[in-house]
Amino acid sequence: MGWRDISVLILHVQFQIFCALHGGGIQANEIITFGKSLNRLEPNKVSAGSDAVNAIRNKRSPVVIPLLHDEHCKLDLQRWCGNLPNNDDLTVLECIQSFKGSELAELTKECQNKIWERTLHMISDQNMTQLAKDYCSSQLIQSLGCQPSSSVVGNILACMIDKREKIEEDKCHTFVQRMEWIAFSDFRMMPAFYKECSGDVKTFQCGRLHTNEAFRQGKTLACLQKYIRKLSAGCHRQVLHLSEIQADDIKLDRQLFLACANDHQRFCPNMPRGSGRVYKCLMEHKLDKTMSKECQDQLMRRQKLISEDFKVSRGLARTCKDDIRLFHCRRSVSDDKEIRLVQILLCLEGVIRNGTKVTPECQSEMIEHRKILMEDYRLSPEIVLSCPDDISKYCKGLEVGGRTIHCLMEHARQKRKEERISPACQRALEVLVKEADAGEDWRVDPVLREACKPVVDSACKEVRGGDARVLSCLMEKLGTDHMNEACETALLQIQYFVARDFKLDPQLFRNCREDAARLCHAKRFWIDADGQMDPERGPLVLPCLYRYAYHTQETLKLKSECLAEIRRVMRQRAVSVDLLPEVEEVCMEDIAIHCYEKTGKGEEMVCLQDNLERLDPKCKTAVANFTEEQAEHIELNPIILSVCQKVMEKHCEAELETGKDEGDVMDCLIAHKNEPDVRSNYKCRAAVEHFQLISLKDYHFTYKFKEACRQSVIRYCPAIKTKADVIRCLSEIVRNDTLRNVKQNIPKDCRQQLRAQLFQQRENIDFDPRIKKNCYKDVQQFCKGIPKGAAQTLECLQINKDKLSDGCHMVIFNVERQELQDSSVDYALITTCRHMINQFCHGEDPSQALICLKRYKDDPTFDSKCKSIVVRRMIEQSSDYRFNPLLQKSCRMDISKFCADIVASEKEEKELNGKVVKCLKVKFREQKLSQDCESEMTNILREAALNYRLNPLLATMCRKEIEDMCPPDENADGGAVEECLKNAFNKHRISNRECQIEVAGLIEEAKADIHVDPLLHKACGVDVSKFCSDIPQGNGRHVQCLQEVLQDPTKTLKPDCQEMLTKRIEMFRNAALVVAPETIEELYATVSRSPSKTYFMIVALTMIGVIFIMGLSCGRLTRRTLLMKNK
């Protein structure tokens, strides 16, 4: 007889037994179903099957032997179950379910078969019909409508389990629970589950089909639950359905019940089973270090199921049932479909955020389940799918208590690419933070809860939980004595993600959602109706709201509540960027020495950067490296984040939307810092420029400078290696191109970086090796004790340049030349006049800042300190035409024509002390300058007439006269000194010939153009407009016109003008006596400019005529004499 014949015989015997048990009333499909199930037995278990057949045959007898009386089982059962009712097999089976695996293994094969037969009989429809009558009322049985099935074994029990919510009779409810526990001992007793999951059981090797393991079949369900996200749709549905049933009583989950038996007694001794309360109690203690690993693993399995189907959590499903129905959280999902936990949480959280209340009990359950999501990354499918490589690389072995999640968060904030998680993983974290709503309640996050509990107890104990109130309090405590490092780290990790979606701050969203929707086109509701979870990436909504924070237009103003929240969030965010661990480790001592008062987050790094040159070498290296990272990652700079939100929102929207953090936002701010609107936002501009200055304190190339100027260095400075020499080489090329008025050879982005480098060098002489080397002794002699920072030492050297050594003087000359030709590298001018530049010159090129400030320096609102440095720069310009780019450009041809010998006779890198300007003054009086040069000289002379120090020759030649007769006030402005000297000259009180010549020159210059004499022009301005408006300016025409009006009896000048003009005419005459022409050309020019030039022409012609006649007469007489002698 072959194997196939044996199989047929066994199947036949099994079928006969099956028919006997059902009283012969069975259908064909029942035969097929039961036959298929029995045929799944393994061939080598034929004997076991025969034993089962024999055991079932015994049931045909009218007397059923109780398990406690069975000769194969009674000894073992009495030993392990004690004294139980002899005829109550249901109680005996319940006892058997509590057996451990080792105890089950000791049962004989015959006893195991007997138990299996008794269990199968217990759940049969025929037996359930009879037992139900003993425990449940007929009315209840009828209302449930559970009927036996000819195709499914155990249909009545399955029906009663599904409808257990409708069973209100305690006795009947307890009976159903007891039967559930027995049925859950073997998945083969649940036909629908067996039908849908048989394939998955094989696929994931979850089968427990050996006869001697018949009472450990709960492992099959537990095994499938571990693979819940990989199961087929039908099996997935059945597993979750059974998991929902298990939620009623911990005993229904045999694996968890056994694994957690001791933990149940330790943590929940007084907790009665039922309604999922034991589950909840154990989960509350899941992170307790004393809980067994086996129990923690089983609880983890349950939490995975809850994340897949919220109904697996009986507490949440029952407590929030009405709210879920009321707010349509199952919208578009049928009742027989499972819904993920996060979908329910997001729906209910959205209801709360949108201003509607849910029951307090439901809110409490929501908090507990949000904790579940944050406790273990494996509960989030998005993280499991998107972050496996990142977890393996950065966070291996940190699965407990949400530490893996925080590890990933930490690496989301890392700035080096090799240390950052993937974009997909970061997106998964953003989704998780929103799903768990971690920004709403600090207790949701186990890591944050553990780290910050001492801080909350000491500093925030009066603050109620929820609504982000405690989180806000913790943010306010950053950097204070209350804060500890662990809390700070965990808090900033959470805040990093909360800050990226303004909806995750409940107070901000509640108070500002209407303004955000009205002004910034933000979504009005916390979650869309379609349930999509889309965090608004990038700081876009908040900057938009901040733009309207102080709007003057009433319709565009924010609500007062929103404005208060905006201020809070901006303030907290400004201090939320922490130092990198590698910086903290090596800089703790330097922080204690230099920055002990800088308690705000972010202020410590700025302080370290400001004191970069004084830091310990290791700390200096770390700070320098971080500063370079900071230039590439805007979120590391809390000051710029706080003051540049509007600028970033307007100019850097694309960079923010892409989520790039590799210097693009900083590059954007630098690129747009000269825009008019950015200039008006002086705080942002100052912050950007300050960071540029700080970032340049490193001796080596900065990344941006190297990238921007690489090609220019290769082309123009190939042999130069050091940073200072490269800067000097490129600067000379830029300067020469500017002076020649040709197209710049250095690209714009390189010029911008070059200006930034020069700006840094001017801030501290230590950053310019040439100044430091050549001026060391001069600094010790003239500037000892003056701080090196803020360009104070450099200013001191410039003030004392006449006393400097030759080497230092040459270097300072080149510095002055560079600064006066390009104001953007003049540290003292830019920093002192920052506000004035923004007020008066916000549309000007930074390189032309001095030219602009000169125009507005006399404005009543002009800052006195700024005016002082502007005048000082003007004095420096007056000493050498090369310091004045406008004069150099306007008078280039005139200088080559009239003053070339002066330029050629002086050293290249030494001041000309106003000699070229004096040469141009002479030609100005002679009216020989080109139009552009004459116009520029008019401006220079007009300024010099109001401040004698702008005329270096006058200040030098008349120093004693000024001290004795015309002492200046503090500003020496207004032309008082010049007017005093003119009056003294007119009264012949000046005996010094050199001073007389200089003062006479002033008077002659005013005679050439009335605008050069501000006092005369002010007194006679109305009369010039009245009588001389049709006469062109220049060449002394307006002064001559006024003289003619003064002599005309039919016209009358104003008294002030008449008095001033009369005095000037007298001065003109006296000056003419002093300033004698030195050449025929000068004599001709003097006569041609004179009002009496006609008289001089007549006299000259008369003299020439007399000489001619005398010559003729003398010639005849001489001729006559010669003739007489010849005779």
Side-chain angles (χ1 to χ4, degrees), residues 173-234:
H173 193 277
T174 301
F175 164 70
V176 174
Q177 283 187 325
R178 295 175 71 187
M179 294 303 297
E180 277 183 297
W181 193 21
I182 294 173
F184 270 80
S185 65
D186 196 314
F187 78 95
R188 291 173 297 178
M189 297 181 183
M190 296 168 280
F193 168 76
Y194 176 74
K195 178 181 178 182
E196 296 288 353
C197 293
S198 57
D200 294 277
V201 169
K202 290 182 179 180
T203 301
F204 299 105
Q205 299 181 354
C206 293
R208 302 291 186 268
L209 302 181
H210 298 82
T211 304
N212 62 353
E213 293 185 350
F215 307 105
R216 286 189 279 168
Q217 295 303 311
K219 287 186 176 181
T220 298
L221 178 58
C223 175
L224 292 174
Q225 288 172 337
K226 290 181 180 180
Y227 297 99
I228 186 66
R229 292 167 187 156
K230 299 180 180 180
L231 300 179
S232 62

Side-chain angles (χ1 to χ4, degrees), residues 673-674 679 685 692-693 696 705 709 727 730-731 734 738 744 746-763 818 821-827 830 844-849:
K673 72 174 185 176
N674 292 320
R679 285 182 167 275
R685 181 178 171 83
Q692 288 181 286
L693 174 64
L696 293 173
F705 177 70
C709 297
I727 292 172
L730 296 178
S731 298
V734 172
T738 302
Q744 290 285 346
I746 305 300
K748 182 179 179 180
D749 55 344
C750 181
R751 295 200 308 272
Q752 183 180 10
Q753 292 297 324
L754 185 61
R755 287 175 177 174
Q757 297 294 325
L758 290 169
F759 186 74
Q760 177 197 2
Q761 286 186 338
R762 302 302 176 255
E763 187 267 340
Q818 206 165 47
Q821 288 180 346
D822 186 347
S823 299
S824 66
V825 302
D826 190 338
Y827 182 90
I830 295 298
E844 301 284 344
D845 188 331
S847 64
Q848 307 298 313

Side-chain angles (χ1 to χ4, degrees), residues 95-212:
C95 174
I96 293 172
Q97 302 310 313
S98 63
F99 284 7
K100 296 180 180 179
S102 59
E103 296 170 340
L104 286 173
E106 294 182 19
L107 293 176
T108 64
K109 180 173 63 175
E110 292 79 6
C111 181
Q112 290 184 19
N113 287 334
K114 188 68 177 180
I115 295 171
W116 161 249
E117 296 167 10
R118 196 75 184 106
T119 304
L120 189 62
H121 170 73
M122 187 71 70
I123 68 170
S124 66
D125 287 351
Q126 181 181 1
N127 188 60
M128 280 297 301
T129 302
Q130 184 62 37
L131 289 176
K133 295 178 181 180
D134 298 335
Y135 291 96
C136 306
S137 65
S138 57
Q139 294 85 353
L140 177 60
I141 295 175
Q142 185 177 0
S143 65
L144 293 177
C146 295
Q147 301 295 327
S149 172
S150 58
S151 60
V152 179
V153 179
N155 186 66
I156 292 180
L157 176 59
C159 173
M160 296 184 74
I161 291 174
D162 287 340
K163 298 181 179 182
R164 63 194 180 284
E165 297 289 344
K166 299 180 180 180
I167 300 177
E168 298 180 356
E169 298 176 3
D170 293 338
K171 184 179 179 181
C172 184
H173 193 277
T174 301
F175 164 70
V176 174
Q177 283 187 325
R178 295 175 71 187
M179 294 303 297
E180 277 183 297
W181 193 21
I182 294 173
F184 270 80
S185 65
D186 196 314
F187 78 95
R188 291 173 297 178
M189 297 181 183
M190 296 168 280
F193 168 76
Y194 176 74
K195 178 181 178 182
E196 296 288 353
C197 293
S198 57
D200 294 277
V201 169
K202 290 182 179 180
T203 301
F204 299 105
Q205 299 181 354
C206 293
R208 302 291 186 268
L209 302 181
H210 298 82
T211 304
N212 62 353

Side-chain angles (χ1 to χ4, degrees), residues 571-846:
R571 180 180 67 254
Q572 292 176 350
R573 192 165 300 178
V575 299
S576 66
V577 180
D578 57 346
L579 296 172
L580 292 177
E582 55 267 28
V583 178
E584 287 181 326
E585 183 178 350
V586 296
C587 291
M588 292 302 294
E589 184 176 347
D590 290 287
I591 292 174
I593 295 173
H594 303 296
C595 310
Y596 63 95
E597 293 181 348
K598 305 297 182 180
T599 58
K601 205 61 185 175
E603 291 181 3
E604 288 178 341
M605 177 54 68
V606 172
C607 175
L608 289 172
Q609 291 168 334
D610 286 335
N611 293 278
L612 186 64
E613 60 275 10
R614 291 185 284 176
L615 300 180
D616 176 81
K618 290 184 178 180
C619 179
K620 182 177 181 179
T621 300
V623 172
N625 291 337
F626 178 78
T627 303
E628 187 173 354
E629 289 292 322
Q630 198 176 47
E632 299 180 18
H633 306 289
I634 195 68
E635 61 268 28
L636 290 178
N637 196 318
I639 297 176
I640 289 183
L641 281 180
S642 63
V643 300
C644 293
Q645 295 287 357
K646 294 191 294 184
V647 176
M648 287 191 290
E649 191 277 335
K650 180 174 182 180
H651 295 290
C652 310
E653 183 177 357
E655 289 79 0
L656 294 172
E657 285 182 343
T658 59
K660 285 187 177 181
D661 195 17
E662 300 176 355
D664 297 305
V665 178
M666 178 61 75
D667 289 343
C668 174
L669 289 172
I670 294 173
H672 292 282
K673 72 174 185 176
N674 292 320
E675 297 288 341
D677 61 311
V678 182
R679 285 182 167 275
S680 63
N681 186 350
Y682 70 90
K683 290 184 178 180
C684 177
R685 181 178 171 83
V688 174
E689 290 181 344
H690 177 264
F691 180 80
Q692 288 181 286
L693 174 64
I694 293 298
S695 66
L696 293 173
K697 286 190 174 184
D698 193 286
Y699 176 78
H700 303 284
F701 270 15
T702 60
Y703 175 79
K704 296 297 182 182
F705 177 70
K706 178 176 64 177
E707 292 300 314
C709 297
R710 176 181 290 141
Q711 297 302 321
S712 299
V713 172
I714 294 174
R715 180 177 180 183
Y716 299 109
C717 317
I720 298 176
K721 302 298 182 182
T722 66
K723 181 178 181 179
D725 290 338
V726 169
I727 292 172
R728 185 163 53 253
C729 170
L730 296 178
S731 298
E732 290 177 358
I733 296 173
V734 172
R735 183 189 65 191
N736 293 335
D737 290 343
T738 302
L739 294 177
R740 292 197 303 266
N741 197 25
V742 298
K743 182 180 179 180
Q744 290 285 346
N745 288 294
I746 305 300
K748 182 179 179 180
D749 55 344
C750 181
R751 295 200 308 272
Q752 183 180 10
Q753 292 297 324
L754 185 61
R755 287 175 177 174
Q757 297 294 325
L758 290 169
F759 186 74
Q760 177 197 2
Q761 286 186 338
R762 302 302 176 255
E763 187 267 340
N764 193 321
I765 63 171
D766 288 341
F767 299 149
D768 192 326
R770 293 188 68 193
I771 298 180
K772 185 175 182 179
K773 178 181 178 180
N774 290 281
C775 297
Y776 177 78
K777 294 182 179 179
D778 300 272
V779 170
Q780 297 299 316
Q781 182 178 355
F782 303 110
C783 307
K784 190 174 183 179
I786 296 178
K788 293 182 179 180
Q792 295 182 66
T793 302
L794 182 60
E795 286 295 301
C796 172
L797 292 173
Q798 290 175 340
I799 292 173
N800 293 278
K801 64 181 178 180
D802 293 337
K803 307 173 187 177
L804 301 179
S805 61
D806 291 341
C808 182
H809 188 279
M810 180 184 67
V811 174
I812 296 301
F813 172 85
N814 288 324
V815 170
E816 283 186 313
R817 184 176 183 179
Q818 206 165 47
E819 288 182 344
L820 293 170
Q821 288 180 346
D822 186 347
S823 299
S824 66
V825 302
D826 190 338
Y827 182 90
L829 178 72
I830 295 298
T831 54
T832 304
C833 298
R834 191 179 307 280
H835 299 319
M836 296 299 99
I837 291 173
N838 283 286
Q839 181 177 348
F840 295 105
C841 311
H842 58 83
E844 301 284 344
D845 188 331

Side-chain angles (χ1 to χ4, degrees), residues 190-326:
M190 296 168 280
F193 168 76
Y194 176 74
K195 178 181 178 182
E196 296 288 353
C197 293
S198 57
D200 294 277
V201 169
K202 290 182 179 180
T203 301
F204 299 105
Q205 299 181 354
C206 293
R208 302 291 186 268
L209 302 181
H210 298 82
T211 304
N212 62 353
E213 293 185 350
F215 307 105
R216 286 189 279 168
Q217 295 303 311
K219 287 186 176 181
T220 298
L221 178 58
C223 175
L224 292 174
Q225 288 172 337
K226 290 181 180 180
Y227 297 99
I228 186 66
R229 292 167 187 156
K230 299 180 180 180
L231 300 179
S232 62
C235 185
H236 185 273
R237 183 168 54 253
Q238 287 297 322
V239 169
L240 289 179
H241 176 65
L242 294 178
S243 301
E244 293 174 18
I245 297 173
Q246 287 179 323
D248 273 331
D249 194 331
I250 188 173
K251 284 190 174 183
L252 296 181
D253 191 333
R254 178 179 176 81
Q255 307 306 313
L256 189 147
F257 174 72
L258 295 176
C260 296
N262 295 331
D263 299 284
H264 182 184
Q265 295 299 320
R266 183 185 306 115
F267 297 111
C268 316
N270 301 319
M271 186 70 63
R273 64 189 181 91
S275 301
R277 284 175 289 181
V278 177
Y279 279 128
K280 184 175 180 180
C281 175
L282 289 173
M283 287 182 179
E284 288 176 353
H285 294 86
K286 178 188 173 187
L287 301 181
D288 194 296
K289 295 179 181 179
T290 62
M291 177 173 281
S292 64
K293 179 67 166 54
E294 294 79 9
C295 185
Q296 288 179 336
D297 292 341
Q298 293 300 323
L299 289 174
M300 178 63 206
R301 175 174 56 82
R302 291 298 301 179
Q303 289 179 331
K304 281 186 177 180
L305 296 171
I306 293 173
S307 69
E308 288 296 314
D309 184 358
F310 82 100
K311 290 186 292 184
V312 176
S313 172
R314 184 60 62 197
L316 179 67
R318 287 176 176 169
T319 306
C320 297
K321 179 179 179 181
D322 294 336
D323 295 295
I324 293 171
R325 182 176 62 253
L326 178 63

Side-chain angles (χ1 to χ4, degrees), residues 11 15 18-19 24 26-39 150-151:
L11 179 60
F15 174 71
F18 185 77
C19 293
I26 56 176
Q27 304 295 328
N29 55 357
E30 285 184 89
I31 298 173
I32 295 172
T33 301
F34 190 70
K36 287 182 178 180
S37 65
L38 290 176
N39 274 329
S150 58
S151 60

